[in-house]
Amino acid sequence: MASSLSHFPILLVFFLFTAFLSAESQSFIGVNYGQVADNLPPASDTAKLLQSTAIKRVRLFGADPAIIKALAGSSIAIAIGAANGDLPALASDPNAAAQWVNSNVLPFYPASKIDLINVGNEVLLSNDQGLISQLLPAMRNVQSALFAASLGGKVRVSTVHSMAVLAQSDPPSSGRFNPGFQDVLKGLLAFQRDNGSPFAVNPYPFFAYQSDPRPETLAFCLFQPNAGRVDSGSGIKYMNIFDAQVDAVRSALNVIGFKDIDILIAETGWPYHGDSNEVGTSVENARAYNGNLIAHLRSMVGTPLMPGKSVETYIFALYDEDLKPGPASERSFGLFKLDLTATYEVGLTNSSQTPSTPMVSPSPKPTSAQWCVPKSGISDAQLQANLDYACDHGIDCSAIQPGSDCFDPNTVASHAAYAMNLYYHTVGTVPLNCDFSQTAMLTSSNPSYNACSYTGGST
């Protein structure tokens, strides 16, 4: 049989029910608002921009009062940050922590929906043992200050980690923390378990592709059709690296006894521009990664180890930051330009429907064409990848099994056509969802034949 069929009837219910949920309910989609720049729009304009989108969370690396105040009265949740340089004072003096909360939270809450304080950013990666030793005491003092202000349980306290805290992440089932960090992490996680805060981490598939720039790796990173990768330890087939990275963190947490700690993605993104030696930096790839990530989160399919829910995820970044050092890619992550228009369309505008893989068209509007079919001349290998992708993503491909109405003709082309069309109609009938790496097209000609009926009709 030409098909590679995986059936997820339970997940399909979740998928169909949630694929078209209003953006109002998608409180897990956030964005990082970095401010290493000298040309950013006024805070009031940024607040209006955020409120015109489906973005429901914003993460600040500090606690800029202008943007916090500008978001007052909005539905947007705000994560603020205490800088690494603040840790010594916060750790050594409870009064300093109380003053920090009094200055950065109380003047704005609850009008501004501050719901998370990140104490430090990638502190363990600094290898500064003095600073690392101050992290947990600082978090405890901030938490105590929140309780004293009657905000305990209302504002979470966490810290953000690099993926480098993992000594091993491939395959995902082998995920393990670096032994040198393990004791520190156990202390942090015990505190976070007691206070109900998430483990925040920064996965960047872009960097994984940089270290392995093969076409199949790019497709795996961008949520595009690919053969998938089987976890040799668990037997689970992963279809994208985001799920694999998140599940590696899940495995690492589970191994040291913290199965009940939630995971939060504090940063992830893809640059649309880079230096000549930076592979994979393009508008097309950035649009594909961020757009397909958003679609994946909206689907509520979750990851293989955490099915049926989406992790709270902050995309990097809202704007480019022109003063950031390093290669050009570091200054090219912005989803929006300084004139407040989108750098590229990823389905974040309130009027746009759910985008999905792969993304090429900026138009979110349904067309009069009603069926999604392969273009002519596409290789069987590509069609098989499209088929595998559709059937492995919650699509009911039982109709192309032996004995079913659409099994014959038993060819890759026929089975792929059925699956791709069903994927298009399940995820959302917009051009973004019928592209499949530019191997598909929309048609108004019904491809149904004999007893094989293709999903179609008016939207």
Side-chain angles (χ1 to χ4, degrees):
M1 180 177 173
S3 305
S4 172
L5 303 179
S6 298
H7 307 302
F8 303 92
I10 296 176
L11 293 184
L12 181 58
V13 173
F14 276 104
F15 194 86
L16 291 172
F17 180 73
T18 59
F20 300 102
L21 282 178
S22 163
E24 291 299 314
S25 67
Q26 293 157 5
S27 60
F28 42 77
I29 298 176
V31 67
N32 284 270
Y33 179 30
Q35 296 175 285
V36 186
D38 61 3
N39 57 357
L40 297 177
S44 57
D45 290 348
T46 294
K48 290 176 183 177
L49 169 64
L50 289 169
Q51 292 176 80
S52 74
T53 72
I55 295 168
K56 293 303 169 188
R57 295 182 173 275
V58 62
R59 177 193 172 208
L60 309 180
F61 290 83
D64 179 13
I67 187 64
I68 296 173
K69 188 180 296 184
L71 288 170
S74 74
S75 62
I76 297 172
I78 307 167
I80 61 176
N84 292 357
D86 294 333
L87 295 187
L90 295 175
S92 63
D93 185 0
N95 291 327
Q99 183 58 49
W100 195 95
V101 170
N102 290 341
S103 298
N104 297 300
V105 180
L106 294 186
F108 313 107
Y109 186 93
S112 297
K113 293 180 59 179
I114 299 171
D115 79 338
L116 174 64
I117 299 172
N118 288 310
V119 179
N121 186 49
E122 299 189 347
V123 174
L124 272 61
L125 197 62
S126 72
N127 290 319
D128 182 333
Q129 295 306 311
L131 194 65
I132 291 171
S133 69
Q134 293 168 329
L135 179 55
L136 181 55
M139 293 171 69
R140 284 176 173 156
N141 284 342
V142 170
Q143 183 70 71
S144 295
L146 289 171
F147 274 112
S150 300
L151 294 180
K154 298 176 182 178
V155 179
R156 302 167 293 169
V157 175
S158 187
T159 188
V160 178
H161 301 284
S162 161
M163 282 291 287
V165 297
L166 270 67
Q168 188 167 332
S169 60
D170 187 26
S173 63
S174 72
R176 299 292 185 274
F177 288 117
N178 186 315
F181 297 143
Q182 195 156 295
D183 289 342
V184 173
L185 285 168
K186 284 181 177 179
L188 294 172
L189 289 164
F191 162 81
Q192 292 183 250
R193 171 189 279 162
D194 291 342
N195 292 283
S197 67
F199 182 81
V201 67
N202 296 338
Y204 276 92
F206 168 68
F207 296 121
Y209 176 63
Q210 291 255 300
S211 64
D212 180 19
R214 294 175 296 162
E216 55 267 34
T217 302
L218 183 61
F220 191 60
C221 288
L222 299 182
F223 300 84
Q224 291 178 331
N226 65 91
R229 299 184 181 183
V230 176
D231 184 318
S232 57
S234 66
I236 294 171
K237 187 177 185 180
Y238 284 86
M239 300 305 298
N240 67 79
I241 199 170
F242 179 82
D243 284 354
Q245 290 183 326
V246 173
D247 276 359
V249 175
R250 179 77 274 158
S251 295
L253 289 168
N254 293 353
V255 164
I256 61 173
F258 292 94
K259 295 181 179 181
D260 52 344
I261 295 284
D262 286 336
I263 295 171
L264 179 150
I265 305 305
E267 288 179 40
T268 189
W270 198 285
Y272 65 85
H273 174 69
D275 292 326
S276 59
N277 63 341
E278 292 187 279
V279 296
T281 55
S282 69
V283 169
E284 292 76 14
N285 289 344
R287 178 170 53 219
Y289 178 73
N290 289 318
N292 294 332
L293 170 62
I294 291 166
H296 185 55
L297 294 172
R298 284 174 171 164
S299 77
M300 296 291 285
V301 169
T303 74
L305 296 186
M306 296 182 292
K309 64 178 183 178
S310 290
V311 293
E312 185 177 325
T313 300
Y314 295 80
I315 298 172
F316 192 87
L318 183 61
Y319 302 120
D320 290 342
E321 297 174 80
D322 67 319
L323 299 182
K324 289 193 77 172
S329 62
E330 288 291 328
R331 297 175 292 282
S332 306
F333 278 88
L335 295 172
F336 292 91
K337 301 175 184 178
L338 299 179
D339 64 3
L340 308 181
T341 61
T343 307
Y344 45 83
E345 174 60 49
V346 292
L348 284 175
T349 57
N350 280 329
S351 61
S352 66
Q353 296 186 33
T354 303
S356 190
T357 181
M359 302 190 63
V360 293
S361 168
S363 172
K365 297 180 180 179
T367 71
S368 59
Q370 297 170 344
W371 293 274
C372 176
V373 297
K375 294 178 180 178
S376 61
I378 304 302
S379 70
D380 279 357
Q382 180 62 58
L383 291 173
Q384 184 68 54
N386 294 353
L387 172 61
D388 291 343
Y389 187 87
C391 292
D392 283 343
H393 278 70
I395 305 305
D396 182 6
C397 292
S398 59
I400 50 178
Q401 293 188 72
S404 297
D405 290 341
C406 300
F407 175 71
D408 290 320
N410 181 20
T411 64
V412 173
S414 179
H415 292 175
Y418 179 88
M420 292 161 65
N421 180 70
L422 186 56
Y423 181 91
Y424 166 70
H425 282 279
T426 300
V427 176
T429 51
V430 295
L432 299 174
N433 296 331
C434 180
D435 178 73
F436 289 89
S437 299
Q438 303 183 45
T439 64
M441 65 181 212
L442 291 166
T443 179
S444 57
S445 298
N446 190 342
S448 301
Y449 59 93
N450 300 331
C452 180
S453 177
Y454 277 56
T455 300
S458 67
T459 58

